Amino acid sequence: MSTFNTSREEIAIVSFVELSPAEASQLDEIETIQTIVSRATDGAGIARDRIGFTVSGSCDMLVGRPFSWIMAMDGAGVSKPIEESHVEMDGAWALYEAWVRLQHGDIDAALIYCFGANAAEDLMQVLALQLDPYYLAPTGINAAEVAALQASAMLASGATERQFAEVAVRAGLAVSVEAALAEPYLHRPLRASDLPRFSDGAAAMVIARGDYARSVCARPAWIQSMAHIADGHSLGARDLSKSPSLEKAARLAGVGAKATQIVEVHAPFGPQEVIALEALKQAGLSADAKVNPSGGTRAAQSVMVAGLAAIGRAASAIHRGEASRTVGHASSGPALQHNLIAVLEERS
Amino acid sequence: MKQRCAVLGIGQTHHAAKRGDLSMSGLVREAALRALDDAGMTFDEIDAVVMGKAPDFFEGVMTPELYLADALGAAGKPVFRVHTAGSVGGSTAIFATHLVTSGIHKRVLTLAWEKQSESNAMWALSPKYPFSPPTTAGAGGYFAPFVRAYIEFTGAPEHIGWQVAYKDRIHALKNPYAHLQMPEITIDMVKNSPVLWDPIRYLETCPSSDGAGAMILVSEDVAEASGKKVAWVHGTANRTEAILYPRRNQVLPQAGSDCAKALYKEAGITDPKREIDTAEIYVPFAWFEPMWLENIGLADANDGWKMVDSGDTMLGGRQPINPSGGVLSSNPIGASGMLRFLEAAHQVRGTAGEHQVEGAKKALGHAYGGGSQYFAMWIVGAEKP
């Protein structure tokens, strides 16, 4: 297998914005896109005519309507033709497509946006539609129960519920480890504080090349590398207590090549954060890297947005001068099946 | 910096109204294995999988690329999912091409599919938008007014639609993978078929198909080491415009003509009417052939229907259009754009079989989607660009 994961062109995240759940819940999709796109471009001093590629991420099944992103695109102000794409994936993969596009060196900047209107439905049920339609979905298992199977596999291989509780405290979903452990089980061994709190959300990002990046951003977050890998799907064919795909993506992206100060992990269910951090550690992540200093995405999880948000927050830490090397992680699918890693650096 | 990219392997399913013999995994695997076999490769050699399909509502599986990873030997690899409405098969091939031209990967399996028999496309294509009256008329109901407008603007005679419908079904008889096989087809049959959405008649409409198309895209060194005849990618382009804005020309959208211009520029084409030997364009309703011919500059304004009328677009004509039988003969929606792209590649490799255009050196693949607002195109050639 030949893979090249390091940026050949100098490409940086120069702008990132996300809507608060409160804000997102007040806006329809077009207004949402209009708001985040204008903040990420105009608001950051980036001229729209320098954007050579636009790509979005969203999922029809969340909106409950086919082609849902088409109307939403009106909010991006597309009144003349643009070069554009859409992925039926978290915005983090839209970022990946944009990063690939910029490697060609012919355009200066790309706009990425994503949205997930998901406060209104039973997301655990909707997410179960991702399962194999012949062998898994007909069992009626939902997404939380899949996560519970995974957590059980972890306990069987040595993890503890105390570890899960520590993650819940870090995510702001429990006041203390003891309080978390005192909660009743919802889906044994998962408790309420192990589950994500779904909310509406949206995020937008601009990435740019070389001198243009430097001209619009005081401290660009240079994308040193990106890689993503999927595990197989069938739950019975995987060791659910591990994430080989995340470990491999992190190795390909060279996470361990230098010291990292901050890692923003996107693990929808608490125990998955334990798996993700172990995989990252195996791939050489610095032991003292701060985990989710942004608070993480679980307290207000917007499906299709949370992955890009984790990477965006890792970039923002560099923009603010709080770190010189950060790692952003996005995940997708049942039991953390698909994982993406972006390594971001400050350069003088 | 841009690397060259070539199509080394091509595969597709036998398209049909219902492939009851295959699961969704079986369907994608049939196309993927044929493409791998054509390339002389196995799943192990593939660096990444890029999948496209139209709305998940068609089969009721959310982000099915995750579940299909197992069937495509993709565990432990990057799996990517593009979705740009009807143009998705084209957009998917373009992103897969970019993975090679950027130098990130050397061997990419790209694949697009739809299993329409799992659902009802009329329902899935009749979304209810807030503040809009539901039409419940599917894609035909949406596009019929554009066709009527084209007829009004150009004064094209009614028989043009019949002729395109007839031609593509005749072409399909030379394509063993095509869904519709209608040896009995005549122009009168089209003419006498019922009107579904005025002015579109039943036989001027694409079928609903189960099917998949796949390609193995490789870097220059891999292409050369294979010793096989490949199709070189000379250019790719995509353009999108909003579905509604003042003065939008929905019949001949600016996004379509901008996309073609960008494509010709990248592929070094100055006279597409002469330099392109054949084109596979996305024609779900017969009248879209003359419309797209004008939109992408293969015919002058108001002349698209004359090009059809003259027989130029038949196999054996000056510039055969959809020699495979096109979308009018097979329409696994998400795959239809990919089929256009891979049929273009077949033509310049000389591997199209009975529907081969003699001596084709440059071919164009075209796909569109949404409310005629998403366009994806590529040009492939027999020689290196």
Side-chain angles (χ1 to χ4, degrees):
Chain A
M1 179 166 159
S2 66
T3 306
F4 193 88
N5 301 289
T6 309
S7 295
R8 291 195 165 178
E9 291 283 330
E10 278 195 310
I11 300 166
I13 297 170
V14 292
S15 151
F16 171 71
V17 295
E18 56 185 315
L19 281 189
S20 70
E23 230 178 342
S25 68
Q26 296 300 309
L27 303 173
D28 72 16
E29 285 148 24
I30 296 176
E31 292 167 326
T32 297
I33 305 307
Q34 199 166 30
T35 305
I36 51 166
V37 166
S38 95
R39 285 183 195 167
T41 54
D42 314 335
I46 294 159
R48 300 254 188 141
D49 60 8
R50 295 298 286 268
I51 304 281
F53 184 60
T54 301
V55 54
S56 57
S58 70
C59 182
D60 281 348
M61 288 290 190
L62 300 176
V63 185
R65 188 172 81 218
F67 306 113
S68 55
W69 82 98
I70 292 183
M71 294 299 277
M73 190 179 64
D74 282 4
V78 185
S79 61
K80 61 179 185 187
I82 56 170
E83 186 178 334
E84 191 257 3
S85 187
H86 171 264
V87 301
E88 196 84 359
M89 305 176 90
D90 186 289
W93 278 267
L95 166 63
Y96 187 83
E97 180 164 349
W99 176 73
V100 170
R101 181 64 190 82
L102 282 199
Q103 303 290 338
H104 293 80
D106 58 332
I107 56 175
D108 293 325
L111 167 69
I112 299 107
Y113 64 87
C114 54
F115 61 98
N118 44 45
E121 0 175 11
D122 179 354
L123 258 273
M124 293 306 177
Q125 215 58 52
V126 174
L127 289 169
L129 294 170
Q130 291 185 315
L131 295 168
D132 179 323
Y134 303 103
Y135 293 106
L136 281 172
T139 64
I141 192 172
N142 74 20
E145 290 156 356
V146 171
L149 276 180
Q150 182 166 39
S152 302
M154 293 171 68
L155 295 177
S157 61
T160 62
E161 293 185 29
R162 176 161 279 274
Q163 281 178 290
F164 302 170
E166 285 163 4
V167 171
V169 172
R170 185 157 63 220
L173 294 173
V175 288
S176 68
V177 170
E178 286 64 33
L181 289 172
E183 291 173 19
Y185 291 121
L186 279 184
H187 304 280
R188 191 181 179 113
L190 298 184
R191 301 175 162 91
S193 56
D194 297 318
L195 267 49
R197 305 284 190 276
F198 292 116
S199 71
D200 293 344
M205 180 183 277
V206 175
I207 64 172
R209 274 194 316 127
D211 290 342
Y212 185 62
R214 288 181 199 93
S215 75
V216 293
C217 183
R219 271 189 297 265
W222 298 100
I223 302 175
Q224 171 64 20
S225 54
M226 277 184 92
H228 71 103
I229 297 287
D231 287 315
H233 178 76
S234 179
L235 300 177
R238 295 164 58 186
D239 177 352
L240 294 177
S241 71
K242 295 189 171 67
S243 180
S245 61
L246 174 51
E247 186 180 332
K248 183 170 179 181
R251 284 186 196 282
L252 288 169
V255 163
K258 285 188 205 165
T260 296
Q261 290 105 39
I262 286 174
V263 59
E264 289 284 347
V265 176
H266 167 218
F269 295 89
Q272 295 175 338
E273 190 169 306
V274 178
I275 296 180
L277 287 171
E278 178 58 26
L280 286 162
K281 202 175 100 190
Q282 290 297 323
L285 177 74
S286 313
D288 59 350
K290 275 188 231 153
V291 179
N292 292 352
S294 74
T297 55
R298 220 147 49 79
Q301 174 95 188
S302 175
V303 178
M304 299 294 139
V305 176
L308 186 73
I311 296 169
R313 292 172 188 187
S316 298
I318 291 180
H319 294 160
R320 290 192 300 263
E322 293 165 8
S324 59
R325 190 177 200 255
T326 63
V327 170
H329 161 244
S331 67
S332 154
L336 220 57
Q337 189 192 341
H338 195 182
N339 292 281
L340 180 147
I341 288 289
V343 176
L344 309 174
E345 290 180 0
E346 182 184 34
R347 284 176 201 160
S348 47
Chain B
M1 198 181 60
K2 216 176 138 175
Q3 322 280 314
R4 290 193 175 104
C5 174
V7 183
L8 178 62
I10 300 173
Q12 59 186 303
T13 56
H14 286 90
H15 315 301
K18 183 177 175 76
R19 284 297 302 269
D21 58 323
L22 295 175
S23 63
M24 294 173 220
S25 346
L27 189 78
V28 296
R29 206 169 155 84
E30 183 172 295
L33 287 172
R34 284 177 181 164
L36 285 168
D37 186 51
D38 188 41
M41 280 188 186
T42 62
F43 281 124
D44 291 349
E45 293 166 82
I46 296 298
D47 299 331
V49 176
V50 181
M51 180 185 292
K53 74 175 294 297
D56 293 356
F57 275 74
F58 284 167
E59 294 82 9
V61 187
M62 177 177 171
T63 59
E65 65 283 359
L66 292 167
Y67 127 69
L68 291 169
D70 292 5
L72 294 171
K77 293 179 184 178
V79 177
F80 204 88
R81 163 76 187 288
V82 179
H83 182 195
T84 64
S87 55
V88 63
S91 313
T92 303
I94 289 176
F95 177 61
T97 303
H98 284 165
L99 283 174
V100 176
T101 54
S102 63
I104 290 170
H105 296 304
K106 284 178 178 291
R107 299 169 187 84
V108 176
L109 165 62
T110 184
L111 183 139
W113 65 283
E114 207 73 65
K115 205 161 191 310
Q116 286 212 59
S117 67
E118 300 279 343
S119 166
N120 182 332
M122 273 294 286
W123 167 77
L125 288 169
S126 302
K128 214 175 142 191
Y129 291 111
F131 314 115
S132 307
T135 57
T136 325
Y142 186 85
F143 290 118
F146 304 176
V147 170
R148 176 57 71 196
Y150 176 79
I151 293 170
E152 294 296 320
F153 294 159
T154 61
E158 207 183 353
H159 72 262
I160 297 300
W162 313 337
Q163 216 167 314
V164 172
Y166 169 76
K167 175 206 64 158
D168 280 1
R169 273 51 175 272
I170 291 291
H171 286 173
L173 295 175
K174 297 173 185 294
N175 176 6
Y177 297 105
H179 169 179
L180 293 185
Q181 298 288 338
M182 306 176 72
E184 73 282 13
I185 189 83
T186 62
I187 290 201
D188 270 355
M189 273 175 68
V190 183
K191 174 183 169 183
N192 295 325
S193 65
V195 171
L196 293 186
W197 309 274
D198 178 80
I200 301 174
R201 288 174 188 278
Y202 177 69
L203 285 176
E204 291 173 318
T205 305
C206 57
S208 281
S209 316
D210 287 356
M215 289 188 281
I216 311 296
L217 301 179
V218 300
S219 57
E220 185 174 8
D221 54 334
V222 175
E224 288 185 335
S226 75
K228 289 173 185 278
K229 173 93 179 137
V230 299
W232 293 97
V233 181
H234 285 225
T236 63
N238 66 46
R239 288 293 183 276
T240 302
E241 64 186 31
I243 196 164
L244 292 170
Y245 60 87
R247 295 177 301 282
R248 174 167 187 243
N249 184 340
Q250 290 166 297
V251 180
L252 302 171
Q254 194 191 334
S257 51
D258 281 12
C259 187
K261 277 179 206 149
L263 177 71
Y264 298 147
K265 189 175 172 214
E266 186 170 320
I269 301 263
T270 51
D271 184 355
K273 295 192 191 74
R274 282 179 187 76
E275 291 174 65
I276 292 168
D277 299 303
T278 180
E280 284 276 345
I281 62 181
Y282 200 108
V283 177
F285 304 102
W287 282 94
F288 275 84
E289 177 169 308
M291 286 157 66
W292 293 148
L293 289 174
E294 292 179 28
N295 192 223
I296 65 175
L298 296 184
D300 290 331
N302 302 321
D303 275 0
W305 66 270
K306 292 176 195 158
M307 189 169 155
V308 172
D309 210 19
S310 69
D312 278 358
T313 65
M314 289 281 290
L315 257 174
R318 183 181 60 77
Q319 196 170 38
I321 302 296
N322 293 330
S324 70
V327 179
L328 282 173
S329 303
S330 315
N331 188 31
I333 298 184
S336 289
M338 180 76 69
L339 296 176
R340 309 282 68 72
F341 276 45
L342 69 80
E343 286 289 350
H346 260 315
Q347 291 292 344
V348 299
R349 290 198 321 179
T351 51
E354 269 195 79
H355 63 279
Q356 178 68 45
V357 173
E358 279 312 309
K361 292 275 178 266
K362 281 186 188 169
L364 181 147
H366 161 280
Y368 89 100
S372 291
Q373 49 178 157
Y374 290 85
F375 294 86
M377 305 178 200
W378 81 353
I379 286 174
V380 283
E383 308 297 333
K384 266 189 206 176

